[in-house]
Amino acid sequence: MTTTPGAAQVPDKPALEGLEDKWARVWEERGVYRFSVPEVGREGVYSIDTPPPTASGSLHIGHVFSYTHTDLLARFHRMRGQRVFYPMGWDDNGLPTERRVQNYYGVRCDPSLPYDPAFTPPADGTAKSTRAADQRPISRRNFIELCERLTQEDERQFEAVWRSLGLSVDWTQTYRTIGDEARAISQQAFLDNLARGEAYQAQAPSLWDVTFRTAVAQAELEDRDQPGAYHAIAFARSDGAHDVVIESTRPELLPACVALVAHPDDERYRDLFGSTVRSPVFGVEVPVLAHHLAQPDKGTGIAMICTFGDLTDVVWWRELDLPTRTVIGFDGRFVSDAPDGMDSDAGRAAYAELAGKTVFSARAAVVDQLRASGALLGEPRPVTHPVKFFEKGDRPLEIVPTRQWYLVNGARDERLRERLLERGRELRFVPDFMRVRYENWVSGLNGDWLVSRQRFFGVPLPVWYRLDEEGDPDFDQVLVPERSALPVDPSTDVPPGFTEADRGRAGGFVGEVDVMDTWATSSLTPELAGGRSRGDGLWEAVFPFDLRPQGQDIIRTWLFSTLLRSELAHHTLPWRTATLSGFIVDPDRKKMSKSKGNVVTPADVLAQHGSDAVRYWAATSRLGTDAALDMQNPTQMRKGRKLAIKVLNAAKFILGLEASTLEAAAVTEPLDLGMLAALDRVVDDATRAYEAEDHARALEVVEPFFWTFCDDHLELVKDRAYGTGPGRDSAVAALRIALDTLLALLAPVLPFATEEAWSWSHDGSLHASSWPEPTALGGDPELLAAAGEALIGIRRAKTDAKVSQRTPVASARITGPEQTVHRIGLVAGDVGAAGRIGSLSLDPGGETVEVADVVFQPTESF
């Protein structure tokens, strides 16, 4: 416990300002957080599957909140002697990046255009319009180059924020989800899925975003309440009996109607099952069928099945083996040709009025046609109902038949579903109540994972297709690359055994132009971070990972998809524990999000309050719970800043005390031993809390003791610490032991202030030192609390008497519970010195500690 020769000098006026830049630079230069691969296996390694933030735009305060939670655990386990693998990735492919590039540079991608090596974008963050008509069309390669340029700039800015926040990331361990290695790993994983029969392509109804012109997976859906209207529409029965009336919020899909459906037990329609009716306006004869998903209490109890209005239509279409009548194209407009089965001239003429219209315009036109024909009964009835949107989209989704690639996910394989549910039971969720969200998602899956996307900036699906003798693609003849050739881009690379001259030629090949869903890459973050393809031992050292930290809102996407890929490829969990952070909400308890415009960006907050203060705010919230943030009154951040400043000032005071020895053996006084015994309890409790991923509990244990230590114990031993002899040595040695321990306990939360204070007496980094262990010196852990109660009572008596706390007391009597009074007696000298009491008598009795019969020496008023 001696001062290290290389330690820094204690400043005259310690301050928090400038500590972030100072220590971030030192940590990087010294490689404090650098991970080294162990020679054999993963013994002693703690690996973290860090979430790669989307490198598109700016971080928000929610990122700071959740990533701080991860860093607290990383720092704890590092100080526990483990080799912490804490990488950082950048999720830089996908729709958010494409949209940002379009708006930032004023461009849009047109794959038909040739590459222009001298292209200069029309805007550089100054685009005045986001309308597609105002954006300059450019080649796919030019567009991807702009995506690369902008994401790399965003990533530099993100890294600067993370370094300022004090994330103990190993910045030599980074990856980009669009980088060469990431693309190679993602493509190889897909090819492995294909070889094992887990990836397949199918022509099937697909959820389609007409703005982005891409298919959307089930996990990317969200319901939004939208205004609509029920339209009562009469279908004519073939036998001439009374009309059959259905109610629909989508009358524009009437030309896509393929059947009517009612519940098999609905007596109103039982005699109609097996008969046909004719659709109004378009005159198409369709069957009336029974199915258990029909709802007798919804509308009139009978519904029209259209291809396709919603996901229930898809189920009915598939299970009832119905034909397809497509009317909506990929652009969200009605296709030009009338669907099959519409044979009458009147029906085709009516459809011609819809061709080329948007869904909304077509809806109005069909309502007019129905009204004119007399088939619209009454006026539309307004309703607000949930409509499915792509989570990043602005217009309702349509369902159109497309050829897409899928990965099995258990939706149609009960054995796989049960394996995934079992893995969910094996995985440790923190908090545990989040587990049910995973189980509900797996249990509710209704279709395999659609992984192909009709976009540009993503990982290409690594396949080609043979062209038959007519020059048409044979999608059953899939051509794949050699592993050594990865990554590939089928739009420019050629498959084995072919040349570029064979592209597009009969008997040759055509390349797949679709890219992977961004989650198909992000689901492989263990492989990407762990460098599975490198062969340098890193993968074996870190997999399975110890920790997957993430947001609760992406359990259905990131957590599930990663667990699925690991089960398919490795037959094991990808991590042992998943920690789920809560949301940040504004003062009105509304979730903060970019779409709501109530987001707080972190750079200004970190500059205003300091990183330690912001980290403290994050650390006070438990995993899985939401945290309110009011930037007009950031109480917790102010408390955090106050705590960080107190750390510096307390360290300065303690390190200024002198003693002949600082060894633990010098601690002999009861109060000093008692304080360290109480601190031992804190060490035990904080350690257990961190081991349980309960950082908030650890802070709740450590912080109160720290303030008691500063406010009470320092006052109690100050006179003795300034004195001479064994009493002084005991006080100072105990204070130094306590200081080192408290700095270590607070290090995960306040890395900058604690490192600064540590550097005044040590030459190595606090964050590379050992986590504290109990001193076990044998003191009474209740002594400090008892002495503190007595000191508080003396202070209260002086306040009530309206005299200064420095006013000497001639005599006073302390009463209270017998055991407490006995403990006070053991440290009466320290209590008397701290309270400036000449004569102190003790009188057991009463339920609380009270100070009575106080006789002041000449007083001084406030």
Side-chain angles (χ1 to χ4, degrees):
M1 296 303 299
T2 58
T3 300
T4 304
Q9 183 176 356
V10 180
D12 293 333
K13 295 182 178 180
L16 298 176
E17 286 71 25
L19 295 186
E20 291 90 350
D21 290 342
K22 170 185 175 180
W23 288 110
R25 183 174 60 255
V26 171
W27 293 331
E28 184 63 23
E29 291 172 353
R30 296 179 180 176
V32 172
Y33 308 128
R34 202 72 47 80
F35 177 78
S36 59
V37 178
E39 294 182 3
V40 181
R42 71 182 314 280
E43 184 69 26
V45 170
Y46 185 82
S47 51
I48 303 172
D49 183 15
T50 317
T54 301
S56 178
S58 60
L59 296 168
H60 59 76
I61 199 67
H63 288 109
V64 167
F65 179 72
S66 58
Y67 281 73
T68 297
H69 293 166
T70 305
D71 193 59
L72 297 170
L73 295 176
R75 291 181 177 279
F76 166 72
H77 284 282
R78 189 179 291 110
M79 295 178 72
R80 291 275 278 177
Q82 293 178 283
R83 300 188 189 197
V84 174
F85 179 66
Y86 189 9
M88 181 59 67
W90 309 114
D91 191 6
D92 41 18
N93 74 78
L95 290 172
T97 299
E98 291 189 23
R99 173 180 277 188
R100 176 160 156 74
V101 166
Q102 290 170 349
N103 297 338
Y104 191 89
Y105 292 115
V107 298
R108 57 184 173 85
C109 184
D110 183 346
S112 67
L113 295 177
Y115 174 65
D116 179 1
F119 173 72
T120 301
D124 195 353
T126 59
K128 296 180 180 179
S129 172
T130 59
R131 295 176 61 245
D134 297 327
Q135 295 171 337
R136 182 182 300 178
I138 60 175
S139 74
R140 181 173 183 267
R141 182 175 170 187
N142 285 125
F143 186 77
I144 289 175
E145 286 178 352
L146 291 180
C147 291
E148 291 272 5
R149 182 196 304 180
L150 192 55
T151 54
Q152 288 176 13
E153 177 58 34
D154 287 340
E155 288 158 14
R156 282 191 290 270
Q157 294 179 11
F158 285 17
E159 182 176 333
V161 172
W162 288 150
R163 286 181 182 272
S164 177
L165 181 63
L167 295 191
S168 58
V169 163
D170 179 354
W171 290 105
T172 67
Q173 301 286 350
T174 61
Y175 65 88
R176 305 175 69 230
T177 59
I178 200 65
D180 287 349
E181 184 179 53
R183 285 186 290 123
I185 290 174
S186 299
Q187 290 181 337
Q188 185 59 56
F190 175 83
L191 293 173
D192 291 343
N193 292 131
L194 182 62
R196 293 192 298 263
E198 298 155 358
Y200 65 92
Q201 53 182 327
Q203 182 82 14
S206 305
L207 289 156
W208 188 266
D209 187 285
V210 299
T211 301
F212 291 110
R213 305 282 184 92
T214 186
V216 174
Q218 181 183 354
E220 299 170 305
L221 304 181
E222 66 180 30
D223 286 335
R224 300 178 192 170
D225 288 338
Q226 298 288 300
Y230 277 114
H231 302 74
I233 302 171
F235 282 69
R237 291 178 57 168
S238 300
D239 59 7
H242 61 82
D243 292 340
V244 178
V245 179
I246 64 98
E247 287 191 344
S248 174
T249 60
R250 298 207 62 179
E252 73 278 9
L253 292 180
L254 186 59
C257 179
V258 292
L260 297 190
V261 65
H263 195 278
D265 297 333
D266 194 330
E267 295 182 358
R268 293 172 295 176
Y269 303 109
R270 186 172 293 169
D271 64 330
L272 287 175
F273 297 147
S275 67
T276 60
V277 295
R278 185 169 295 275
S279 65
V281 179
F282 303 101
V284 177
E285 195 165 324
V286 297
V288 180
L289 305 172
H291 195 280
H292 66 90
L293 289 181
Q295 301 177 38
D297 58 348
K298 184 176 181 180
T300 60
I302 190 167
M304 66 174 179
I305 303 174
C306 302
T307 52
F308 296 91
D310 58 23
L311 293 173
T312 306
D313 277 344
V314 177
V315 175
W316 282 330
W317 167 81
R318 182 180 293 118
E319 295 187 1
L320 297 174
D321 195 23
L322 296 169
T324 301
R325 296 192 175 113
T326 302
V327 296
I328 298 176
F330 297 146
D331 59 356
R333 294 179 179 272
F334 272 59
V335 298
S336 57
D337 296 332
D340 293 340
M342 194 176 292
D343 301 325
S344 70
D345 292 340
R348 289 184 174 276
Y351 183 82
E353 296 179 17
L354 308 180
K357 290 184 180 295
T358 66
V359 168
F360 300 102
S361 296
R363 182 177 302 162
V366 170
V367 170
D368 289 342
Q369 292 171 336
L370 287 168
R371 189 175 281 118
S373 70
L376 181 67
L377 307 183
E379 288 301 309
R381 177 166 52 88
V383 65
T384 298
H385 61 148
V387 176
K388 297 205 177 296
F389 281 73
F390 174 38
E391 60 186 0
K392 296 180 175 64
D394 301 319
R395 295 167 67 182
L397 291 170
E398 298 297 341
I399 300 177
V400 297
T402 60
R403 183 187 62 82
Q404 302 287 349
W405 280 96
Y406 297 84
L407 284 184
V408 296
N409 65 0
R412 298 193 174 108
D413 183 340
E414 281 302 320
R415 288 183 299 176
L416 176 56
R417 189 196 299 264
E418 183 50 45
R419 277 161 50 200
L420 295 171
L421 287 170
E422 179 58 31
R423 292 298 184 201
R425 290 187 282 270
E426 294 174 14
L427 180 63
R428 182 165 168 266
F429 283 81
V430 182
D432 187 69
F433 66 77
M434 291 289 181
R435 184 189 313 275
V436 70
R437 301 192 186 188
Y438 171 84
E439 294 174 340
N440 288 344
W441 174 253
V442 176
S443 300
L445 287 167
N446 55 32
D448 283 334
W449 180 11
L450 188 153
V451 295
S452 49
R453 291 292 183 274
Q454 292 66 51
R455 299 306 300 168
F456 312 110
F457 191 53
V459 177
L461 285 159
V463 295
W464 300 262
Y465 308 100
R466 285 294 301 265
L467 297 179
D468 62 20
E469 296 308 315
E470 306 298 324
D472 295 324
D474 182 350
F475 294 114
D476 291 330
Q477 291 198 51
V478 178
L479 307 174
V480 299
E482 300 288 346
R483 178 187 289 264
S484 60
L486 300 177
V488 297
D489 183 346
S491 68
T492 55
D493 297 322
V494 299
F498 292 84
T499 67
E500 184 59 33
D502 297 318
R503 188 184 298 275
R505 191 174 67 184
F509 71 92
V510 63
E512 175 64 79
V513 296
D514 288 354
V515 300
M516 295 184 194
D517 168 22
T518 186
W519 292 113
T521 303
S522 297
S523 62
L524 298 169
T525 52
E527 284 86 345
L528 302 184
R532 185 187 175 196
S533 63
R534 294 180 206 158
D536 59 0
L538 177 61
W539 173 250
E540 292 76 14
V542 300
F543 185 84
F545 282 65
D546 293 276
L547 180 68
R548 156 58 75 83
Q550 66 165 72
Q552 57 181 296
D553 54 329
I554 51 175
I555 290 174
R556 73 184 194 281
T557 49
W558 193 34
L559 188 147
F560 169 72
S561 63
T562 309
L563 193 150
L564 168 68
R565 300 298 289 276
S566 181
E567 176 62 22
L568 294 177
H570 311 297
H571 307 294
T572 187
L573 282 173
W575 351 263
R576 297 178 173 86
T577 299
T579 53
L580 294 308
S581 291
F583 295 128
I584 301 301
V585 296
D586 64 18
D588 296 325
R589 305 300 297 182
K590 295 178 181 177
K591 178 187 172 185
M592 286 189 174
S593 66
K594 292 181 181 179
S595 61
K596 293 181 180 179
N598 61 351
V599 163
V600 175
T601 54
D604 291 342
V605 178
L606 291 170
Q608 179 180 356
H609 297 281
S611 298
D612 280 347
V614 175
R615 291 174 63 96
Y616 173 89
W617 158 75
T620 58
S621 292
R622 279 180 167 77
L623 290 168
T625 59
D626 296 344
L629 177 61
D630 181 1
M631 289 311 301
Q632 301 302 313
N633 186 27
T635 304
Q636 293 289 57
M637 292 183 189
R638 289 171 181 158
K639 287 178 62 179
R641 185 172 180 83
K642 179 182 177 182
L643 177 62
I645 292 172
K646 190 67 173 180
V647 164
L648 296 180
N649 290 333
K652 180 178 185 297
F653 171 76
I654 292 171
L655 294 175
L657 298 172
E658 297 181 354
S660 60
T661 178
L662 296 175
E663 298 301 322
V667 182
T668 56
E669 292 290 327
L671 182 58
D672 303 328
L673 290 168
M675 180 273 294
L676 292 178
L679 183 55
D680 284 351
R681 285 184 175 179
V682 172
V683 170
D684 284 336
D685 291 346
T687 303
R688 281 194 296 270
Y690 273 120
E691 288 174 340
E693 287 81 28
D694 192 351
H695 54 259
R697 171 59 185 163
L699 183 57
E700 289 171 356
V701 170
V702 175
E703 185 184 7
F705 182 88
F706 174 79
W707 285 111
T708 298
F709 172 77
C710 293
D711 294 344
D712 293 347
H713 186 76
L714 287 179
E715 290 298 317
L716 287 164
V717 303
K718 186 182 295 183
D719 280 10
R720 184 154 46 84
Y722 280 136
T724 59
R728 178 198 64 180
D729 291 349
S730 176
V732 176
L735 290 175
R736 290 292 292 272
I737 293 171
L739 174 63
D740 281 359
T741 301
L742 287 167
L743 290 178
L745 291 173
L746 289 168
V749 180
L750 310 174
F752 295 104
T754 55
E755 183 78 302
E756 173 71 7
W758 181 267
S759 72
W760 300 337
S761 57
H762 302 78
D763 61 352
S765 173
L766 166 62
H767 304 292
S769 67
S770 298
W771 185 256
E773 296 286 344
T775 60
L777 292 178
D780 180 353
E782 302 299 332
L783 271 182
L784 177 56
E789 287 187 67
L791 190 58
I792 290 171
I794 294 166
R795 290 169 179 162
R796 186 183 304 116
K798 291 184 178 181
T799 299
D800 291 343
K802 298 182 179 180
V803 299
S804 167
Q805 292 296 326
R806 297 181 60 82
T807 301
V809 175
S811 61
R813 181 169 60 90
I814 295 179
T815 63
E818 182 175 356
Q819 190 63 35
T820 302
V821 170
H822 171 71
R823 289 190 171 102
I824 294 172
L826 296 176
V827 294
D830 289 324
V831 172
R836 300 173 68 83
I837 302 173
S839 174
L840 180 63
S841 61
L842 304 174
D843 187 6
E847 297 182 356
T848 60
V849 173
E850 301 288 344
V851 177
D853 302 334
V854 178
V855 177
F856 294 103
Q857 292 184 5
T859 62
E860 52 182 293
S861 300
F862 284 133

